[in-house]
């Protein structure tokens, strides 16, 4: 029986097999209005009602065929929205199916939708809409059983004045006399509600591979097509490692800068941040991550958000497998070193004993967005990396990875399901020796323990040595009035990722004197760098040192880049820096409409403006 503490739906009585959306996009009212038809199946006997998750949705009517049904919208739960209880005309028994039509409209409080004014887009001429439903925001877009335990197919007719794209395969377009077009879509592979996604705007597509098109505003299309040219190689590498790609298309949508994440693995159409457009293809690891989600998360899905690591830990593990095959093992291990730093920062931010630092946290009564951090990604990766080494290496573990996908594809699972299959696979294919090794794992410490992982994995640091060495030189020079041993050539042999790691190492030592920061910027031109990962780390180093010259740059970056990986720590650090608190709050409030509602809510909490 599915368990999901963050859903108000009667998951123990019914499941949704398919949703059909018929919606009109209204940029003036900033609403989506129309209907959702849900194909419901009873999974128990004597089912008299259907309870759906909703949040800030205006319900107009509910019906089955010609029967108008009685319904009630419960009092709003602060974190989980309002349960929509629908009285069925007759009880359903296990296996019975019915189609429930809900006519509704979204409202201005909808947390899944961000409506951009033309001024907030690259082209400045047309409005733009995009959605972000993970973790529990699909319920503000469509009344549904908003739980990853429910896997469904969906179809949609979207009437809009500009091009619409979705996490589904396009099946046709119908132009109308009023200048709008109805765009039709169908998703035939079962998926959870959080992967329903829609974007509408002045979009242009460019083919970048046999099954891939990149979509973006016309002004960015050349840069995007160039940056993501290796997409097909990523997909093929994933297929070699796992199973054939199941979703047909793999398109990319480069969103405006307010998109709150690096990427979102919406099936058939990955959403990505424009911060990846570095101009040197150095940041496309995010695409490897989102492609890995095609198997880990989208095909094999966490049963609820307490087991989110089954999505993200597995995805990071596969992402680094793909990178290792394409760029060499040293590059994959280097990525793990960077990930380890992100994990340390998340644990330090929450505190070593905080329940959200456990791999399998309890989220009863909690908003999953509040638990979002590097922990499920990097602690999950570290567990799988440890298990691979512990069980005998890739020759043992890679066949298991493929079998994991084959066993659980199309299903939602929890950590106990995962662990039981790991044991059975190892026993069946490799015998008692591997079972004995699994029995030596401290499962309690790995899964329930807080803080850093119980085992400190050692990664190949070949690519990190030069970074560490340069950092040590700077650290050792801190008492020199005018160091002369540094030159602009110091970074010439570095990849941009090595520059990132050098800066991360600098951030780990005591703040350098301001004269040293002046010199570092004069030699390496770090303030002028456009690569978002380098820019972010440099600004964080300066904030830690209360280097007030950087404050205007921090404000400029954090108020024009809505990716939470960057804007949240920057504004939080500015808030804590000397003479920075008022500037951080003032800057955020002045640009609040720029941020996606998810990001805006989190930043407000960070800056003490909300609980």
């Amino acid at each position: 029986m599915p368990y999901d503490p963050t859903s108000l739906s009667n998951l123990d009585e019914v499941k949704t097999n398919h949703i059909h959306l018929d919606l009109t996009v209204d940029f003036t009212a900033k609403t989506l209005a129309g209907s959702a038809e849900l194909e419901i199946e009873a999974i128990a006997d004597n089912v008299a009602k259907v309870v759906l998750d909703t949040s800030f949705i205006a319900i107009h009517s509910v019906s089955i065929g010609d029967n108008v049904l009685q319904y009630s919208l419960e009092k709003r739960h602060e974190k989980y929205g309002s349960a929509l209880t629908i009285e069925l005309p007759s009880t359903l028994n296990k296996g019975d199916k019915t189609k429930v039509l809900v006519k509704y409209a979204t409202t201005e409080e909808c947390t899944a939708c961000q409506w951009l004014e033309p001024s907030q887009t690259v082209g400045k001429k047309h409005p733009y809409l995009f959605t972000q439903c993970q973790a529990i925001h699909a319920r503000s877009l469509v009344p549904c059983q908003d739980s990853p335990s429910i896997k469904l197919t969906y179809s949609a007719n979207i009437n809009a004045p500009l091009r619409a794209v979705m996490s589904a395969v396009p099946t046709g377009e119908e132009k109308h006399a009023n200048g709008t077009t109805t765009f039709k879509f169908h998703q035939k592979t079962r998926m959870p509600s959080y992967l329903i996604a829609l974007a509408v705007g002045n979009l242009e597509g460019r083919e970048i591979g046999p099954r891939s098109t990149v979509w973006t505003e016309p002004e960015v299309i050349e840069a995007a097509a160039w940056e993501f040219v290796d997409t097909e190689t990523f997909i093929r590498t994933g297929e070699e490692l796992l199973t054939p790609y199941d979703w047909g298309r793999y398109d990319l949508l480069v969103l405006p800068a307010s998109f709150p994440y690096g990427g979102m693995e919406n099936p058939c159409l990955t959403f990505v941040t424009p911060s990846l457009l570095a101009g040197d293809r150095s940041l496309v690891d995010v695409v490897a991550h989102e492609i890995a989600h095609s198997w880990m998360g989208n095909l094999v899905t966490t049963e609820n958000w307490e087991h989110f690591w089954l999505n993200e830990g597995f995805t990071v593990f596969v992402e680094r497998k793909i990178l290792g095959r394409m760029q060499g093992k040293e590059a994959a291990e280097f990525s793990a070193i960077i990930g380890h730093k992100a994990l340390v920062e998340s644990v330090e931010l929450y505190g070593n004993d905080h329940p959200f630092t456990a791999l399998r946290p309890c989220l009863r009564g909690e908003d999953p967005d509040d638990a979002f951090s590097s922990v499920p990604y990097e602690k999950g990766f570290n567990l799988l990396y440890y298990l691979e080494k512990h069980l005998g290496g890739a020759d043992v573990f890679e066949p298991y990875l493929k079998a994991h996908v084959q066993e659980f594809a199309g299903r939602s699972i929890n950590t106990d399901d995962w662990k039981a299959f790991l044991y059975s696979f190892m026993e069946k294919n490799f015998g008692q020796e591997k079972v004995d090794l699994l029995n030596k794992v401290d499962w309690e410490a790995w899964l329930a323990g807080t803080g850093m992982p119980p085992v400190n994995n050692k990664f190949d640091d070949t690519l990190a040595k030069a970074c560490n060495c340069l950092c040590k030189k700077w650290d050792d020079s801190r008492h020199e009035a005018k160091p002369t041993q540094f030159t602009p050539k110091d970074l010439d042999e570095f990849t941009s990722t090595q520059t990132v790691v050098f800066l991360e190492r600098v951030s780990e030592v005591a703040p350098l004197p301001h004269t040293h920061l002046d010199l570092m910027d004069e030699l390496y031109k770090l303030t002028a760098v456009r690569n978002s990962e380098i820019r972010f780390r440099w600004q964080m180093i300066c904030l830690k040192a209360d280097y007030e010259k950087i404050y205007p740059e921090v404000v400029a970056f954090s108020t024009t880049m809505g990716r939470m990986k960057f804007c949240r720590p920057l504004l939080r650090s500015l808030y804590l820096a000397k003479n920075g608190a008022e500037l951080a709050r003032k800057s955020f409030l002045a640009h609040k409409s720029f941020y996606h509602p998810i990001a805006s809510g989190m930043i407000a909490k960070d800056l003490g403006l909300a609980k």
Side-chain angles (χ1 to χ4, degrees), residues 43-201:
I43 56 171
D45 289 331
N46 299 314
V47 177
K49 63 182 186 296
V50 172
V51 184
L52 301 177
D53 290 301
T54 79
S55 179
F56 299 122
I57 278 180
I59 305 296
H60 298 150
S61 68
V62 182
S63 58
I64 294 178
D66 294 332
N67 282 350
V68 176
L69 304 186
Q70 296 292 313
Y71 67 88
S72 60
L73 208 53
E74 307 304 322
K75 185 168 176 261
R76 181 177 173 78
H77 182 287
E78 178 195 5
K79 291 171 179 164
Y80 304 145
S82 311
L84 172 63
T85 303
I86 300 164
E87 308 295 335
L88 293 171
S90 56
T91 57
L92 300 177
N93 289 320
K94 190 173 181 178
D96 290 348
K97 295 178 182 175
T98 189
K99 289 184 178 176
V100 177
L101 183 73
V102 183
K103 292 188 176 174
Y104 75 98
T106 61
T107 63
E108 62 181 13
E109 292 106 329
C110 172
T111 52
C113 291
Q114 185 169 13
W115 300 85
L116 302 179
E117 298 297 333
S119 61
Q120 294 172 287
T121 67
V122 182
K124 312 292 183 196
K125 292 190 186 114
H126 302 279
Y128 198 111
L129 159 69
F130 70 88
T131 66
Q132 168 61 33
C133 289
Q134 194 181 42
I136 56 170
H137 301 279
R139 63 193 68 181
S140 72
L141 183 69
V142 52
C144 61
Q145 291 184 287
D146 194 13
S147 166
S149 65
I150 299 291
K151 301 289 274 283
L152 47 82
T153 55
Y154 86 94
S155 51
N157 294 339
I158 306 294
N159 182 255
L162 296 162
R163 175 163 293 283
V165 290
M166 290 194 86
S167 55
V169 175
T171 56
E173 297 175 16
E174 205 177 300
K175 291 192 169 11
H176 305 292
N178 65 356
T180 65
T181 303
T182 297
F183 297 90
K184 301 179 180 185
F185 303 91
H186 191 258
Q187 178 54 267
K188 64 177 179 56
T189 303
R190 290 166 63 231
M191 53 166 246
S193 55
Y194 72 81
L195 293 176
I196 296 172
L198 167 68
V200 182

Side-chain angles (χ1 to χ4, degrees), residues 286-491:
V286 169
V287 177
H289 180 89
E290 303 311 333
I291 285 170
H293 266 307
S294 304
W295 294 273
M296 306 303 188
N298 295 8
L299 269 188
V300 183
T301 307
T302 178
E303 182 181 273
N304 64 51
W305 299 109
E306 295 181 342
H307 305 272
F308 187 42
W309 83 270
L310 291 170
N311 284 14
E312 296 299 351
F314 265 92
T315 294
V316 174
F317 190 73
V318 171
E319 167 201 345
R320 289 180 184 146
K321 287 278 184 188
I322 292 172
L323 288 180
R325 278 163 161 71
M326 289 177 64
Q327 299 170 16
K329 183 169 176 281
E330 289 176 356
E333 299 270 311
F334 196 46
S335 172
I337 289 170
I338 296 171
H340 187 266
K341 175 74 163 62
L343 178 57
V344 168
E345 288 172 353
S346 286
V347 170
E348 284 176 353
L349 181 64
Y350 281 124
N352 208 45
D353 300 324
H354 196 288
F356 289 169
T357 63
L359 204 48
R360 191 175 56 187
C362 174
L363 295 182
R364 188 183 290 276
E366 302 285 358
D367 183 339
D369 284 344
D370 291 338
F372 183 82
S373 75
S374 294
V375 171
Y377 295 74
E378 297 297 343
K379 200 171 186 178
F381 163 80
N382 270 273
L383 171 55
L384 296 171
Y385 184 93
Y386 160 72
L387 287 172
E388 180 172 73
K389 289 267 191 290
H390 183 63
L391 290 165
D395 291 345
V396 173
F397 211 68
E398 287 185 3
Y400 155 71
L401 268 186
K402 181 178 284 196
H404 169 84
V405 174
Q406 290 166 333
E407 173 73 11
F408 294 120
R411 290 166 60 188
S412 299
I413 63 169
N414 60 37
T415 301
D416 291 340
D417 300 325
W418 161 75
K419 190 175 156 195
F421 179 70
L422 174 65
Y423 265 83
S424 72
F425 177 88
M426 289 299 159
E427 182 176 27
K428 183 178 165 188
N429 293 276
F430 297 101
Q432 187 61 35
E433 177 208 352
K434 301 302 183 196
V435 175
D436 292 343
L437 284 172
L438 285 172
N439 285 335
K440 289 179 180 163
V441 175
D442 188 344
W443 294 109
E444 183 67 16
W446 272 107
L447 299 172
T450 58
M452 293 299 289
V455 175
N456 188 17
N457 290 313
K458 293 285 179 269
F459 304 112
D460 182 328
D461 66 350
T462 304
L463 294 173
K465 282 174 182 163
C467 317
N468 299 342
C469 186
L470 183 59
C471 171
K472 187 171 186 309
K473 272 174 72 176
W474 278 96
D475 193 25
D476 290 347
S477 77
R478 66 174 56 247
H479 300 301
E480 298 172 29
K482 288 186 178 176
T484 56
Q485 61 269 52
F486 303 105
T487 78
K489 289 192 167 63
D490 293 341
L491 302 185

Side-chain angles (χ1 to χ4, degrees), residues 23-28 31-33 115 129 158-161 164 180 198 200:
L23 297 171
T24 296
V25 179
D26 186 334
F27 277 106
T28 306
T31 59
L32 297 166
W115 300 85
L129 159 69
I158 306 294
N159 182 255
T180 65
L198 167 68
V200 182

Side-chain angles (χ1 to χ4, degrees), residues 8-28:
L8 304 174
S9 173
N10 55 338
L11 299 169
D12 56 337
E13 292 188 309
V14 297
K15 67 174 182 178
T16 308
N17 291 326
H18 184 83
I19 296 178
H20 176 71
L21 298 171
D22 211 319
L23 297 171
T24 296
V25 179
D26 186 334
F27 277 106
T28 306

